[in-house]
Amino acid sequence: MDWVEVSIKTGAETVEIASNILYDAGAGGVVIEDPRDIVDLQHGDANWDYVDEELLKQAVEDRVVVKGYLPHDTDLYNKIEEICAKVADMGNYGLDAKDSAVVLADVHEEDWANNWKQYYKPTRVGVHIVIKPTWESYMPAGDDIVVELDPGMAFGTGTHESTMLCLELLESHMIPDSSIIDVGCGSGVLSIAAAKLGAKKVLALDVDPVAVRVASENAKLNCVDDIVEVRKNDLLDGFDVQVDIIIANIVADVIIRLLPQIPPRLKKPGLFIASGIIKERADDVKAAVESMGFTIEDVADAGEWVAFVCRR
């Protein structure tokens, strides 16, 4: 299948809105390219052979690119029109949305799935977790928990800051033999890590059929498909099971929409780990979490992202 890459070029404070526009149009996940992250890495400990000058120029201009992928089908034209109209309307939210633009590019699935792999390397997250692409070699230390991953067209390489925050918090707060639901599982990286950290049962949910297929394949690849069950589902609709931990690495508005569904499905004193929240929306999510009777036990942040550990 061919796809269209929809890029919304915008300011940092409208990233959340741009992400939601792409989700509403049917993108299974979004990629956020913030050139300021490159600047931070350039001045940190990382050793870069080459940094694209265009990225550094974007950083000075405070431009962020939010990308989503839509199938090249009969409904594509209407979706693009809707995206353009919503982007043009972003200024009505009271935020600075000037110079925002929508850029389209055709993407062949085979090219997309392979060309980027040269940049995806084994990455240590937290204390023991290592995210290893399937095509890369890695010699684990004795206490490493290695998650083998091939994201394909699904969201979630495990190296995005919001995912890394979620993994670190899961590692810190995980209790062996816990039952877990991973809402918006993407490539399945969080579900697989949970299983390898000692979960007895993980239910991985995603509305995107591509993510469901990829997460299932990755669970089998990691030999945890007896623990991780992957299903196509919209948030927690239709589920009446109760679990020890619920994870959601999505965006702030979706987390707020999800919150009323959580208490009936979370044991006491269960944990809700929420990530994918930009700092500008952290107070909104915090207020919504507390209004549902949760206590925030832990907060972690990296770059422009925040994650919460909430206790019922």
Side-chain angles (χ1 to χ4, degrees):
M1 177 183 290
D2 287 343
W3 299 74
V4 170
E5 179 185 79
V6 184
S7 300
I8 301 177
K9 297 183 178 181
T10 188
E13 63 177 357
T14 48
V15 166
E16 183 82 19
I17 298 171
S19 299
N20 285 338
I21 289 172
L22 293 176
Y23 276 117
D24 289 344
V30 298
V31 177
I32 298 171
E33 295 179 354
D34 189 340
R36 293 172 302 177
D37 294 340
I38 300 294
V39 175
D40 291 343
L41 286 170
Q42 191 186 32
H43 292 94
D45 297 330
N47 183 20
W48 292 82
D49 294 327
Y50 170 75
V51 176
D52 192 335
E53 290 184 4
E54 186 62 28
L55 286 175
L56 298 177
K57 179 182 177 183
Q58 290 178 32
V60 173
E61 297 173 352
D62 196 28
R63 295 288 92 188
V64 180
V65 180
V66 183
K67 294 182 178 180
Y69 296 86
L70 300 176
H72 210 304
D73 56 20
T74 56
D75 199 33
L76 176 64
Y77 181 78
N78 291 333
K79 290 179 180 178
I80 297 301
E81 275 199 329
E82 181 182 356
I83 289 169
C84 291
K86 288 183 177 179
V87 169
D89 193 47
M90 283 199 301
N92 293 333
Y93 288 87
L95 301 173
D96 181 10
K98 65 180 181 181
D99 300 327
S100 294
V102 178
V103 178
L104 307 178
D106 287 323
V107 179
H108 298 291
E109 183 165 355
E110 183 178 353
D111 294 339
W112 188 96
N114 291 301
N115 290 347
W116 60 275
K117 290 183 177 181
Q118 59 185 305
Y119 306 107
Y120 182 28
K121 303 296 181 181
T123 304
R124 181 171 295 278
V125 183
V127 180
H128 300 295
I129 300 171
V130 177
I131 308 299
K132 188 190 90 65
T134 56
W135 55 91
E136 288 287 326
S137 59
Y138 176 77
M139 182 63 68
D143 56 357
D144 281 351
I145 298 172
V146 180
V147 176
E148 295 241 9
L149 209 64
D150 186 347
M153 288 291 291
F155 175 77
T157 61
T159 59
H160 187 272
E161 287 171 328
S162 67
T163 309
M164 294 175 75
L165 287 174
C166 211
L167 286 166
E168 290 169 4
L169 291 173
L170 183 62
E171 183 180 29
S172 298
H173 293 272
M174 179 75 180
I175 298 173
D177 293 327
S178 294
S179 54
I180 295 176
I181 297 178
D182 178 9
V183 184
C185 65
S187 65
V189 56
L190 295 175
S191 296
I192 294 164
K196 293 199 169 192
L197 286 166
K200 66 180 179 183
K201 187 64 181 176
V202 182
L203 182 58
L205 307 176
D206 206 296
V207 72
D208 180 8
V210 174
V212 171
R213 174 179 57 79
V214 170
S216 298
E217 292 170 354
N218 283 321
K220 291 178 182 177
L221 176 67
N222 285 271
C223 301
V224 295
D225 50 312
D226 59 331
I227 298 173
V228 178
E229 178 186 357
V230 187
R231 294 194 199 177
K232 183 179 183 297
N233 204 74
D234 185 10
L235 301 181
L236 291 172
D237 291 351
F239 284 97
D240 56 3
V241 297
Q242 280 199 323
V243 297
D244 301 299
I245 301 172
I246 295 176
I247 310 165
N249 179 30
I250 38 186
V251 296
D253 284 340
V254 181
I255 289 171
I256 291 171
R257 181 159 62 91
L258 170 67
L259 274 167
Q261 297 184 333
I262 291 179
R265 297 164 176 87
L266 193 60
K267 296 177 183 177
K268 292 183 179 180
L271 291 180
F272 173 45
I273 301 177
S275 190
I277 306 160
I278 61 170
K279 287 184 175 178
E280 288 83 356
R281 300 297 311 279
D283 288 342
D284 296 337
V285 175
K286 180 176 182 290
V289 163
E290 291 176 341
S291 73
M292 296 300 301
F294 287 91
T295 300
I296 296 178
E297 285 197 351
D298 199 358
V299 180
D301 66 271
E304 293 299 311
W305 302 92
V306 178
F308 296 123
V309 177
C310 315
R311 174 80 66 179
R312 184 183 178 203

